[in-house]
Amino acid sequence: MTAGNGIPAVELENVTKRFADFTAVDSLNLNIGENTFFAMLGPSGCGKTTTLRMIGGFEDPTSGTIRLHGDDVTGLKPYRRAVNTVFQSYALFPHMTVAENVAFGLRRKKVDDAEVKRRVGETLELVQLSARGSAKPRQLSGGQQQRVALARALINHPRVLLLDEPLGALDLKLRKEMQIELKRIQQEVGITFIHVTHDQEEAMTMADTIAVMNQGRIERLGSPSEIYEDPRTPFVAGFLGASNLMSGTVSGNEVGLPNGAVIRLTDIQAARCNGHNEVQIGVRPEKLSFFGSNDGNAPVNRLSGVIADTSFTGTSTQYLVEVPGIGQVAVVEQNLGDIHDPGEEVTVAWKPEHTFVVE
Amino acid sequence: MKFVKKHLLTIYAIGVFLYLFIPVALVILFGFNDVRGRFNFRWVGFTLDHWENVFFGPVFGGVPGLWDSMLTSLRLAFLSSAIGTVLGTLIALALGRYSFRGRGATNVFLFLPMATPEVVMGSSILALFLALRINQGYATLLISHIVFIISYVVLTVKARIQGLDRHLEEAAMDLYATEWQTFRRVTLPLIMPGVFAAFLLGFALSFDDFIISNFNAGPTIQTLPLWIFAANQRGIPPEANVLGTLIFVITVLVMLLNVVWQRRQSAKTSV
């Protein structure tokens, strides 16, 4: 995860933040590498924003150490840290023009006029707002304000950029555009982005590494595909996409389900069951396909049931299959062939490597 | 009847405005009255004598004490409101931005001077000065005015601070502004309209205060309200009406200028 000299851009060591009656962040350990696009993902109240605010210096941890590029910055004021923040509300100074907003950081650092002018021009160009330098923030659209906030942070060449749900206030189309735009800018300027969001799709679209947070702890850390394919906990499996979770009794590489079906696991997944008798396994809806009841080509993991519900969503169709003894199993199929109707008896099957174990 | 029904609100509004402004109009009108005798209650005839007397009278101001008390009031209002605004703004910042022990109590204590009858407040401040053996004079007057101005300033400025996005100050600090620079460049400019309004409010409150001033001014200091009250014993001279008219006109002019200026500002910034 780390690049270059191996020193992480941001390092949290046993960081805890307690407010009066609850623990927002619970002895968190985290290393964020140089030049990564890192997303902290979780429901509201999971501690992701508090973590970000501690990195920015707006909150002091109750205990623990925060390092930026190896230097201990715990307790240091925000203006003494080489990080900049894009706030959820943008927090543009309403009494200043766009150019003055963008120049604010450089002015405080006493950069000379010509240099400020040059860099403001450059940065406004980067966010495609060159023409609006003399406008006041409230004259801009939400998307433009968002880009001013980004420019105001980026102009200082921070080594770490913190983004607190920066796209939350934008409509869907604009949000999609900005996701791509942010990713482009991150690659262009080559600095570490730490992005806080509750939108799993946004996190997966943009981030190299995602930390899924729950109740002040990181439940799962990894690349989007790692986390998606092997979520490891029921919370992560449910928060990132949909999944079918089933309980069963494990023996070797096999899990016996209550309805008598036997599900095969890969060796890696089976190894994680060590010491457990009862386990929960899961499979993503799109990994399931329909087969005839005695189709020899079907993968080994099979369940039989009756289709309870069919909903057509354009590119795919979602089915709910009622499996006796197990409950409803969700299946998503691309619309390539026939659409199955409710009431039809079906067998769904999937491969052992698409089965994951959650703890 | 139909006409009345249709214009009921207009008629009502006109009634309210008449009720509010007839006294003001009368004050202005009787500044031009060619008064006979001590009391200026009956219209006799039109004259500009009193206006001439106010500006070019034999004694400066024509009527002894009128201009002096006016200047005393203006100076007092300016000074007490300026000090009250500074102190009140600092209190409002503390209350609006930080949580500390005694914050709730401070809020209650700040509200008290507004809820207390002025007689009670004026007399208790006087009692305090007497107990401390401080002679009444300009200083006691000034202090007593600051005391009641502060509450109004805190209320006005706090409203503005609470409407301010907290993240603005964090953003400034994030962009390398120290606490002082954040205050200077972001907080203060943004709460300035509230601070200015508070100053004007404090000025107005001080300028026309009678009760508290009456207790705390002592025998040597005379503010305009005190002078008018004293003059009333032997008949208010029309020159007082002239002065009242001047104050009224100047206030209205300043307000109009402000409206015009704000219109210009918003016209300049809207696309």
Side-chain angles (χ1 to χ4, degrees), chain B:
Chain B
M1 207 51 221
K2 209 173 164 196
F3 175 83
V4 173
K5 251 186 194 163
K6 210 173 158 192
H7 297 279
L8 193 61
L9 189 66
T10 316
I11 293 165
Y12 176 73
I14 290 171
V16 170
F17 278 116
L18 283 179
Y19 178 77
L20 285 174
F21 286 109
I22 282 178
V24 178
L26 279 178
V27 166
I28 295 172
L29 183 67
F30 277 84
F32 296 100
N33 191 13
D34 190 5
V35 65
R36 310 263 174 238
R38 279 167 58 190
F39 295 100
N40 185 14
F41 297 145
R42 191 167 297 117
W43 183 253
V44 182
F46 182 85
T47 178
L48 284 173
D49 286 356
H50 314 304
W51 282 79
E52 196 194 333
N53 202 18
V54 163
F55 290 105
F56 311 109
V59 189
F60 174 59
V63 180
L66 181 63
W67 273 104
D68 284 345
S69 63
M70 167 91 165
L71 289 178
T72 304
S73 270
L74 283 175
R75 273 214 317 270
L76 177 71
F78 186 85
L79 204 59
S80 60
S81 188
I83 297 172
T85 303
V86 171
L87 294 176
T89 300
L90 294 177
I91 296 172
L93 280 167
L95 289 173
R97 274 292 176 260
Y98 304 98
S99 55
F100 50 88
R101 249 180 121 85
R103 182 158 168 252
T106 311
N107 267 321
V108 174
F109 284 130
L110 281 166
F111 181 70
L112 275 181
M114 283 187 277
T116 314
E118 277 195 73
V119 184
V120 177
M121 185 131 142
S123 57
S124 42
I125 295 176
L126 174 64
L128 178 74
F129 285 135
L130 291 176
L132 294 172
R133 294 175 196 286
I134 298 171
N135 287 328
Q136 291 144 278
Y138 195 75
T140 55
L141 187 62
L142 182 65
I143 291 169
S144 64
H145 277 221
I146 292 170
V147 168
F148 72 80
I149 287 172
I150 281 184
S151 300
Y152 292 92
V153 173
V154 172
L155 208 72
T156 314
V157 177
K158 206 170 74 176
R160 184 84 195 174
I161 289 171
Q162 277 163 347
L164 209 64
D165 180 4
R166 255 227 101 143
H167 292 308
L168 287 172
E169 285 161 319
E170 288 182 347
M173 300 238 293
D174 187 62
L175 297 163
Y176 317 115
T178 60
E179 284 85 350
W180 169 247
Q181 287 171 330
T182 300
F183 178 73
R184 239 314 260 109
R185 308 254 168 208
V186 176
T187 317
L188 190 60
L190 290 175
I191 63 169
M192 208 52 209
V195 174
F196 188 63
F199 172 79
L200 289 184
L201 182 65
F203 189 93
L205 286 169
S206 164
F207 189 76
D208 79 344
D209 176 76
F210 173 75
I211 301 173
I212 292 173
S213 303
N214 196 33
F215 278 106
N216 293 288
T220 55
I221 309 287
Q222 202 159 40
T223 64
L224 187 62
L226 292 178
W227 183 87
I228 290 173
F229 184 77
N232 195 25
Q233 315 286 315
R234 37 177 210 278
I236 301 175
E239 281 78 2
N241 295 48
V242 172
L243 210 57
T245 306
L246 279 173
I247 293 167
F248 178 75
V249 169
I250 289 170
T251 312
V252 170
L253 275 180
V254 169
M255 274 165 52
L256 282 178
L257 276 175
N258 184 38
V259 170
V260 171
W261 183 74
Q262 281 191 343
R263 285 250 172 95
R264 283 243 177 102
Q265 283 298 104
S266 60
K268 214 167 31 178
T269 50
S270 61
V271 191

Side-chain angles (χ1 to χ4, degrees), chain A residues 98-353:
Chain A
V98 166
E100 283 165 355
N101 263 281
V102 175
F104 192 89
L106 297 182
R107 295 278 181 215
R108 300 288 80 70
K109 279 177 160 177
K110 305 253 187 288
V111 175
D112 68 78
D113 271 358
E115 171 82 358
V116 170
K117 226 174 178 170
R118 189 182 64 74
R119 272 163 73 177
V120 168
E122 220 176 75
T123 315
L124 284 178
E125 200 162 316
L126 179 75
V127 297
Q128 297 161 7
L129 277 175
S130 302
R132 305 308 309 270
S134 56
K136 287 277 175 75
R138 71 189 136 101
Q139 295 168 251
L140 303 183
S141 69
Q144 289 173 326
Q145 291 185 16
Q146 211 280 326
R147 282 182 284 163
V148 176
L150 191 65
R152 190 177 66 173
L154 283 174
I155 195 169
N156 306 294
H157 301 321
R159 294 173 75 181
V160 178
L161 184 74
L162 308 177
L163 302 119
D164 183 9
E165 306 236 11
L167 309 180
L170 304 180
D171 61 56
L172 187 66
K173 189 167 167 285
L174 203 53
R175 197 153 69 217
K176 296 276 181 212
E177 280 172 27
M178 281 307 296
Q179 286 174 6
I180 295 162
E181 181 80 2
L182 272 178
K183 186 80 192 156
R184 171 184 75 79
I185 290 172
Q186 193 263 336
Q187 277 156 1
E188 201 170 316
V189 297
I191 59 175
T192 306
F193 275 37
I194 304 180
H195 182 113
V196 157
T197 180
H198 61 266
D199 182 338
Q200 41 118 353
E201 208 181 307
E202 185 175 301
M204 288 199 280
T205 307
M206 292 194 283
D208 310 317
T209 310
I210 298 177
V212 182
M213 290 189 69
N214 185 29
Q215 297 184 335
R217 290 171 173 278
I218 292 178
E219 284 230 0
R220 185 81 170 92
L221 180 80
S223 72
S225 61
E226 275 168 7
I227 293 185
Y228 184 80
E229 302 298 352
D230 186 10
R232 297 213 182 149
T233 72
F235 174 80
V236 177
F239 198 78
L240 244 84
S243 48
N244 297 303
L245 296 181
M246 297 161 265
S247 304
T249 317
V250 70
S251 77
N253 275 19
E254 291 178 341
V255 176
L257 297 184
N259 68 342
V262 173
I263 305 299
R264 286 190 67 85
L265 303 175
T266 59
D267 294 341
I268 300 170
Q269 294 291 334
R272 301 230 321 269
C273 302
N274 266 345
H276 295 280
N277 210 359
E278 293 284 314
V279 293
Q280 255 198 323
I281 57 167
V283 60
R284 298 286 185 186
E286 76 279 4
K287 300 292 182 345
L288 300 173
S289 331
F290 294 111
F291 289 91
S293 56
N294 286 313
D295 192 331
N297 293 327
V300 293
N301 293 339
R302 298 177 197 184
L303 292 171
S304 297
V306 179
I307 293 182
D309 186 54
T310 303
S311 37
F312 180 77
T313 62
T315 55
S316 61
T317 303
Q318 297 180 4
Y319 300 94
L320 284 177
V321 179
E322 187 68 43
V323 180
I326 305 259
Q328 287 192 332
V329 172
V331 180
V332 173
E333 278 229 310
Q334 273 198 295
N335 290 327
L336 297 171
D338 294 340
I339 289 175
H340 302 271
D341 294 317
E344 211 174 307
E345 286 194 22
V346 289
T347 297
V348 293
W350 70 95
K351 294 174 182 169
E353 58 264 39

